[in-house]
Amino acid sequence: MTAVSLVQGDITRQSVDAIVNAANSSLLGGGGVDGAIHRHGGPEILDACRALRASHYGKGLAVGQAVATTAGRLDARWVIHTVGPVWSVEEDRSARLASCYRESLRVADELGAATVAFPAVSTGVYGWPLDDGARIALETVRDADTAVAEVRFVLFDETAYAAFAGRLHG
Ligand code: ADP
């Protein structure tokens, strides 16, 4: 059984085996969680991302996929980068958002990570409504077939925390 916990705070301050990054397809850094992870984790993470771009991920990482690198100076062994879909009113991209959580857990299993911290993927710059993002995150993790012992959602502000808490406890 995977235990699901919620904390309000900064994902870069967590002590876990793997920290999930809401990256973009380029893998070369961005704003939000991505910026914070590279800032606090140091240049080793970007070096590892560049190496991925130079090898198997020449075109970058596709939406809904996940790949691991070192966690640099973060208090974790790995960063698992995943690319969330941009919110769209015309098209239902929920399956791709669910895939981010599922694929990140699959990579975590491959690595042998027992504790994994997730941000609320796609709910920042990519514009996904928080309540729906929380629903997809929690349902996907609950239904995932994984050996990960703890999934910790790290929500940056009170509104995000409340969206997840309402779904988990309500
Ligand atoms: P995306 O491009 O996938 O939307 P963002 O990084 O813009 O990714 O935002 C995803 C979520 O992460 C948002 O809810 C945002 O408020 C939150 N966030 C931003 N910085 C941090 C951080 N340091 N720790 C945890 N969550 C963060």
Side-chain angles (χ1 to χ4, degrees):
M1 265 294 277
T2 305
V4 174
S5 60
L6 309 179
V7 300
Q8 190 184 325
D10 182 339
I11 201 164
T12 65
R13 304 299 168 175
Q14 303 299 309
S15 306
V16 281
D17 291 331
I19 290 176
V20 176
N21 181 18
N24 59 53
S25 285
S26 79
L27 288 174
L28 300 178
V33 179
D34 202 7
I37 283 176
H38 285 287
R39 208 160 44 242
H40 293 285
E44 247 192 285
I45 301 175
L46 193 55
D47 288 347
C49 287
R50 287 207 181 97
L52 287 172
R53 286 298 304 270
S55 56
H56 293 310
Y57 295 89
K59 291 182 181 157
L61 184 64
V63 173
Q65 299 296 300
V67 67
T69 65
T70 172
R73 295 197 290 258
L74 297 174
D75 191 9
R77 294 176 69 185
W78 303 282
V79 169
I80 297 173
H81 306 263
T82 190
V83 182
V86 175
W87 166 257
S88 162
V89 280
E90 289 97 37
E91 187 187 24
D92 180 7
R93 299 176 178 167
S94 305
R96 274 173 268 176
L97 183 55
S99 174
C100 289
Y101 291 99
R102 219 171 14 248
E103 286 298 302
S104 295
L105 290 173
R106 192 184 56 72
V107 170
D109 281 335
E110 278 173 14
L111 296 166
T115 53
V116 179
F118 277 99
V121 178
S122 287
T123 66
V125 173
Y126 283 1
W128 205 284
L130 250 177
D131 197 51
D132 197 55
R135 177 186 65 79
I136 292 168
L138 290 166
E139 285 179 3
T140 307
V141 167
R142 185 196 60 202
D143 295 342
D145 180 18
T146 174
V148 169
E150 184 198 349
V151 165
R152 188 182 308 168
F153 288 103
V154 183
L155 295 324
F156 206 38
D157 56 28
E158 222 167 285
T159 313
Y161 183 88
F164 276 71
R167 289 274 171 194
L168 187 63
H169 308 301

